[in-house]
Amino acid sequence: MKIATWNVNSVRTRLPRVVSWLERRQPDVVCLQETKVVDESFPLAEIEALGYHCLLNGQKSYNGVAILSRTEPQDVVRLLPGDELDAEHRMLIAVIEGIRIVNIYAPNGGDVGLPRYAFKLEWYRRLREFLNVSFDPSENLLICGDFNVAPDDRDVWDPQRWRGKILFSEPEKEALRNLVSWGLQDALRLHKSEGGLYTFWDYRAGAFHRGWGLRIDHILVTESLARRCADVEIDRNERKGEKPSDHAPVIATLE
DNA sequence: ATGGCTACTCCTAGTAGA
């Protein structure tokens, strides 16, 4: 079973690449972030034609998440407790093939100290509290998406330059560690310990070509899924070519 | 790296992303 996460940075702009990638990689579940489209305008027909159910939690212009799956999703949750009525659409949960899939697009934070930064840390706190009261670490649960946090020095191209900066500040790393401490493991690190495994490269200044990347897209799994996890791959080829997203897909293979 | 790109919008300039 292949479960993927991909921040596509607009599903409409990225549609040709998403379609060809689905045809080529044949994932069973795909969590998309930054779809940037209301549900009525999601390219449903094109994705369903490939044999996927589409579960949507979209929004105009910003944010928006979706779960594509070969089989029908169940037990859907869309709202994180504490969200306002006009909440940013950043989370979507469904049970697929006996696995609870939590798709998240964590706030970026802007810059350290800004109101959006405080919102990011508070959002992480609410997500952890939601796990506490809703689920159990003994179940088959997987959280994936764009976390907008690089966990440690191996995950940024220049740790000295990134120290204390947005995406790599101590409070952000602590917020991610606090989430993980609920009972999760970083699936990629079950298999690979080296640095330089990035999932995002800025569009500017030839960052991809120069190796200026960050690992901010993650797949976290509970113990029962960690035992089934045979491999995790970052599909960095998807960052190349015509009109790429600035993020590469991450794919976990479960036995 | 500090913005050199990309995508969005009641669209040709301002905002946000990471």
Side-chain angles (χ1 to χ4, degrees):
Chain A
M1 184 177 186
K2 289 192 185 301
I3 302 177
T5 178
W6 191 8
N7 179 326
V8 290
N9 185 15
S10 171
V11 72
R12 287 179 294 180
T13 296
R14 218 63 60 210
L15 187 60
R17 290 194 69 131
V18 170
V19 165
S20 81
W21 183 81
L22 290 172
E23 289 174 337
R24 205 164 59 251
R25 302 307 304 260
Q26 296 288 316
D28 298 284
V29 178
V30 185
C31 293
L32 301 178
Q33 302 88 35
E34 281 206 273
T35 54
K36 295 187 173 180
V37 66
V38 292
D39 295 350
E40 306 79 67
S41 303
F42 189 93
L44 203 55
E46 291 89 337
I47 306 285
E48 285 181 342
L50 301 173
Y52 290 95
H53 293 79
C54 298
L55 193 60
L56 309 177
N57 188 11
Q59 179 179 343
K60 188 168 102 172
S61 308
Y62 303 110
N63 311 316
V65 288
I67 300 178
L68 319 180
S69 59
R70 290 285 191 196
T71 60
E72 198 167 343
Q74 298 169 327
D75 293 338
V76 176
V77 179
R78 296 164 189 280
L79 213 60
L80 186 62
D83 278 348
E84 305 297 329
L85 284 177
D86 60 350
E88 300 182 6
H89 294 196
R90 297 181 172 276
M91 190 190 77
L92 187 53
I93 304 179
V95 174
I96 298 162
E97 301 281 320
I99 300 173
R100 198 177 304 276
I101 307 282
V102 181
N103 178 14
I104 65 155
Y105 172 48
N108 168 296
D111 271 306
V112 174
L114 293 179
R116 291 210 303 286
Y117 179 76
F119 173 73
K120 178 179 195 174
L121 297 178
E122 174 63 11
W123 189 90
Y124 264 96
R125 192 200 62 73
R126 284 193 287 133
L127 180 59
R128 168 62 203 257
E129 178 61 18
F130 178 61
L131 293 182
N132 285 353
V133 302
S134 306
F135 308 120
D136 193 289
S138 68
E139 70 172 289
N140 296 324
L141 186 144
L142 177 152
I143 306 184
C144 67
D146 178 357
F147 288 71
N148 270 319
V149 179
D152 67 52
D153 284 8
R154 295 170 294 178
D155 304 313
V156 298
W157 62 274
D158 182 349
Q160 297 319 316
R161 179 243 173 266
W162 281 96
R163 194 87 58 213
K165 301 294 199 312
I166 194 67
L167 313 180
F168 200 58
S169 72
E170 278 308 318
E172 291 168 273
K173 287 189 274 189
E174 175 55 30
L176 179 56
R177 283 195 298 268
N178 185 47
L179 185 71
V180 167
S181 72
W182 176 72
L184 298 163
Q185 299 175 56
D186 184 339
L188 182 125
R189 290 297 179 210
L190 296 171
H191 302 282
K192 301 175 170 84
S193 59
E194 67 268 35
L197 304 174
Y198 306 134
T199 65
F200 163 85
W201 298 260
D202 199 295
Y203 283 126
R204 292 165 295 187
F208 181 71
H209 182 69
R210 295 156 97 154
W212 292 350
L214 304 172
R215 190 173 73 95
I216 55 176
D217 300 87
H218 309 296
I219 298 176
L220 310 179
V221 292
T222 54
E223 174 61 27
S224 58
L225 293 181
R227 285 197 295 267
R228 287 169 58 185
C229 185
D231 187 35
V232 176
E233 174 198 356
I234 299 169
D235 192 357
R236 70 189 294 285
N237 277 332
E238 270 306 305
R239 184 61 180 77
K240 303 175 182 174
E242 283 285 299
K243 279 198 167 283
S245 169
D246 42 4
H247 295 251
V250 185
I251 310 166
T253 303
L254 302 181
E255 286 173 341

